[in-house]
Amino acid sequence: MAEDPGQTSQVRLAFRIGYIGSSFFGSQYQPDQRTVEGEIVAACMRAGIIQNRNEARVALSGRTDRGVHARCQILALSTSVPDRAIRALNGQLPPDIWVTAWAFVPDSFSPRHDVTSRTYRYYFSRPPQNVPAMRDAAAEFVGKHNFQCFARIEPGKSPIRTIDGIAIILDENGCRLEVTAQSFLWHMVRCIAASLLQISEGTLTIEELRRYLSGVCTNKIKPAPPDGLILWDVHTDLDWHRIPVSGLKAGRIRKQSEELHLLGTVYSLLLTD
């Protein structure tokens, strides 16, 4: 374990967290809705880790929409009891949020701005019709583009973003889009996924896609459903220390996975003759 800076002054900690997004109204704190940040703040206050979210400067590395999941999201907070935070946070969190690692960080650390890039994966619910066409089209996204047609643009936000890497991967888990960039716009990955699915189905051409990437469109691309989207990784140079996920919490997640798999099988059988 890295040297503890002390228990009397405020210490800034980063945690690597994961969550199942299905039961959350997004990650960002909303006082009247169940959110990832809201559950984390409540857990920290129950454990005496923080007194309130503003003084602790609780922050996440990115905002995920309602129903979107995370394998690697970064949480940062300031606390006078870092040992307690490291030891107790996982046990206070609900079953659909977990902590996998921690690190000491400078007091100025921002999980939103002090990261090098983010990787998302989008898993398509069914095998696309034309994976080679999707791969050809995906290459068009690499580099700097105007994503006005592929995102919900908030006031004051630039629609210009740079895609560092993108791939369509087909393996035993199905077909997925994997995309890496320093930052993303609201709904951007889901809109990219939807456009590539349209390419596969022949309802969108490469020429139309290129025009959209220049920021010219009559109608924006509608985002794909959130269920298949995972914030897969947030890339940093932090010195992470692993926190094992308890057997009870891991067991609950596996049990829920099995139940959902069974439910999908039953739904499909209801349509048979």
Side-chain angles (χ1 to χ4, degrees):
M1 180 181 291
E3 182 181 355
D4 190 329
Q7 297 280 338
T8 57
S9 59
Q10 289 282 303
V11 173
R12 192 100 174 129
L13 290 174
F15 292 95
R16 191 172 62 205
I17 68 169
Y19 49 84
I20 300 169
S22 305
S23 298
F24 294 108
F25 284 80
S27 61
Q28 193 172 33
Y29 181 81
Q30 300 178 57
D32 57 344
Q33 300 286 1
R34 185 176 190 255
T35 66
V36 174
E37 188 177 341
E39 290 289 351
I40 289 169
V41 168
C44 287
M45 293 181 68
R46 281 195 302 272
I49 296 168
I50 66 172
Q51 297 303 310
N52 66 69
R53 59 185 293 268
N54 293 325
E55 287 183 11
R57 293 183 291 135
V58 175
L60 296 171
S61 57
R63 178 177 61 192
T64 55
D65 296 336
R66 178 179 180 177
V68 175
H69 321 288
R71 169 184 170 269
C72 177
Q73 168 83 278
I74 295 180
L75 159 75
L77 58 84
S78 298
T79 178
S80 60
V81 287
D83 282 350
R84 183 187 303 172
I86 295 164
R87 183 180 64 251
L89 182 54
N90 232 352
Q92 289 292 329
L93 289 169
D96 45 3
I97 309 177
W98 55 91
V99 178
T100 60
W102 67 273
F104 287 123
V105 293
D107 184 65
S108 61
F109 177 78
S110 165
R112 180 175 291 272
H113 302 294
D114 296 335
V115 300
T116 56
S117 63
R118 299 159 173 85
T119 296
Y120 279 89
R121 286 184 177 183
Y122 188 90
Y123 284 85
F124 296 97
S125 60
R126 62 185 186 279
Q129 297 175 20
N130 192 339
V131 172
M134 292 175 73
R135 287 175 172 154
D136 290 342
E140 299 289 333
F141 287 94
V142 176
K144 183 182 290 187
H145 300 283
N146 185 332
F147 283 93
Q148 177 72 36
C149 302
F150 295 87
R152 179 176 170 184
I153 310 296
E154 298 171 277
K157 287 272 190 179
S158 169
I160 307 300
R161 289 295 185 273
T162 300
I163 300 295
D164 299 320
I166 189 168
I168 297 294
I169 299 168
L170 193 61
D171 60 20
E172 66 276 6
N173 294 314
C175 184
R176 72 175 185 267
L177 161 70
E178 188 162 315
V179 56
T180 298
Q182 200 281 326
S183 63
F184 293 87
L185 297 164
W186 202 353
H187 293 172
M188 180 173 157
V189 179
R190 290 165 56 195
C191 288
I192 292 173
S195 70
L196 292 175
L197 197 58
Q198 289 180 38
I199 289 285
S200 170
E201 295 168 346
T203 58
L204 183 70
T205 67
I206 287 288
E207 290 72 24
E208 289 171 324
L209 181 66
R210 289 170 180 158
R211 187 170 67 250
Y212 281 19
L213 282 169
S214 70
V216 178
C217 60
T218 303
N219 297 310
K220 292 186 176 186
I221 297 289
K222 293 182 179 180
D227 312 69
L229 185 59
I230 304 173
L231 175 54
W232 190 256
D233 205 357
V234 178
H235 308 276
T236 73
D237 58 359
L238 297 180
D239 182 20
W240 290 112
H241 304 273
R242 186 172 177 272
I243 299 178
V245 179
S246 73
L248 178 60
K249 182 167 288 193
R252 285 176 175 172
I253 294 169
R254 282 193 293 269
K255 185 174 184 293
Q256 186 175 12
S257 171
E258 293 166 356
E259 290 172 350
L260 290 172
H261 180 73
L262 175 61
L263 189 61
T265 301
V266 169
Y267 280 7
S268 64
L269 290 172
L270 294 174
L271 298 175
T272 58
D273 293 333

